[in-house]
Amino acid sequence: MTKAEMITKIMETYARYEDDYYYVGGIGIRFENKDREIGEICEDSKDNSEREDERSFPEFGTDEYELLPTLDGTSAWHIIDDDPLHSHALKSFRDDIDVISQTAAHCYVIASDEIGNHPHPDHQEILLRSPIVLAVIF
């Protein structure tokens, strides 16, 4: 899948669901190594705010990962904006996709009716409480 095809699939999913999640919650892009299916509910993410590189994270399921504090929701890249095609999050996604795709086996579009609270979010990061997987991008 090319970067353009990924972005097209993400934006098609966004357009399909934007009216369902725009005001109360949010729609986000989630990269991870865990296999998920459409309709699955994601668990809360771990907080690793102390790292130097925001892409650096302990491997899922390791002791180091399990010792991290749990956040108030699932972490995702925020794509909702007045114009999502030109949002900073999607631009960052476009710029970083080569690095991200090398560090994550999967990309999902997730959504929730509730936003979580994050004490130290990364740039354009949102927390979605009990989000549902809307689409499997790769």
Side-chain angles (χ1 to χ4, degrees), residues 1-113:
M1 173 179 288
T2 67
K3 183 168 34 171
E5 290 169 334
M6 273 195 304
I7 291 169
T8 297
K9 194 170 180 180
I10 289 167
M11 295 317 300
E12 287 172 349
T13 304
Y14 174 85
R16 181 174 177 194
Y17 293 100
E18 69 178 313
D19 291 338
D20 296 337
Y21 295 98
Y22 186 82
Y23 292 105
V24 181
I27 299 174
I29 305 166
R30 176 147 178 89
F31 296 92
E32 64 183 346
N33 292 325
K34 185 173 182 177
D35 291 324
R36 295 193 184 274
E37 297 179 6
I38 292 174
E40 184 175 340
I41 303 297
C42 302
E43 64 279 341
D44 291 347
S45 295
K46 297 287 191 168
D47 185 11
N48 193 18
S49 304
E50 303 298 318
R51 67 197 186 281
E52 289 182 31
D53 183 339
E54 66 185 45
R55 295 166 297 200
S56 176
F57 211 84
E59 187 174 335
F60 178 76
T62 62
D63 289 342
E64 184 182 5
Y65 176 86
E66 295 302 327
L67 291 173
L68 293 172
T70 302
L71 291 169
D72 182 33
T74 304
S75 179
W77 288 61
H78 190 33
I79 60 171
I80 296 176
D81 202 339
D82 290 334
D83 183 358
L85 288 172
H86 298 99
S87 75
H88 182 77
L90 200 53
K91 180 184 181 318
S92 295
F93 165 71
R94 287 181 179 132
D95 293 344
D96 291 345
I97 190 59
D98 294 329
V99 173
I100 293 167
S101 62
Q102 291 172 14
T103 60
H106 303 288
C107 175
Y108 305 103
V109 177
I110 62 174
S112 174
D113 288 327

